[in-house]
Amino acid sequence: MTLTLTRRWREGEATIGEVAVDGGFDCYSLEDRVHDGPKIPGETAIPAGTYGIVLHYSPGLRMDVPMLCDVPGFEWIYIHPGNTPADTKGCILVGYGRGRAAITESRLAFSALFAKIKGAMLDGEAVAIEILDAFEDAA
């Protein structure tokens, strides 16, 4: 199974995108700002690219989450619930609605996406995410 995260909008310190599962729209994403320079810890989105996904128990979140593998310059990058840049330190948040620098219905979107990822893995499929920069704004 392949997830595709297409980054579309820069809103303040947030990067908002669209997540597709096997080509069909699934939900919105929120990440830290994409910076055109060196990484700023806790404030920088991960580089665009393709990453494998494994399931991992996060002690901080106290739940199983999808974790991206081999992200250059980053570690412990998860997909998890959250609504604003304050809820992420490089991770990808997902939600069904989007606003200015925020996403909504995050827990619902995460639960549904997690079930799809886990189901694919239980069926023996490899799961990966491709992250693309395709900004519609001029920032």
Side-chain angles (χ1 to χ4, degrees):
M1 179 170 88
T2 301
L3 309 178
T4 303
L5 188 166
T6 305
R7 293 169 170 160
R8 299 259 187 228
W9 306 278
R10 292 178 246 223
E11 299 282 353
E13 291 307 308
T15 300
I16 307 288
E18 298 171 319
V19 177
V21 176
D22 289 332
F25 175 81
D26 191 79
C27 58
Y28 292 102
S29 65
L30 184 143
E31 300 173 83
D32 285 320
R33 180 95 173 162
V34 173
H35 289 279
D36 295 327
K39 173 184 168 184
I40 302 169
E43 297 180 18
T44 303
I46 65 173
T50 302
Y51 307 102
I53 291 177
V54 297
L55 297 184
H56 176 78
Y57 180 79
S58 166
L61 296 169
R62 290 177 272 161
M63 61 193 289
D64 288 326
V65 291
M67 182 174 77
L68 282 62
C69 301
D70 303 319
V71 179
F74 292 79
E75 55 186 11
W76 311 114
I77 300 298
Y78 304 139
I79 298 172
H80 66 82
N83 301 104
T84 70
D87 298 327
T88 181
K89 289 186 172 29
C91 294
I92 300 166
L93 311 178
V94 293
Y96 283 139
R98 72 174 179 93
R100 185 161 176 79
I103 56 174
T104 62
E105 299 179 86
S106 184
R107 291 196 183 279
L108 292 172
F110 174 79
S111 292
L113 183 60
F114 184 80
K116 291 173 189 174
I117 291 169
K118 187 173 181 178
M121 289 179 173
L122 289 173
D123 286 343
E125 288 185 60
V127 179
I129 186 167
E130 179 182 24
I131 300 173
L132 307 169
D133 290 338
F135 292 105
E136 295 179 5
D137 60 356

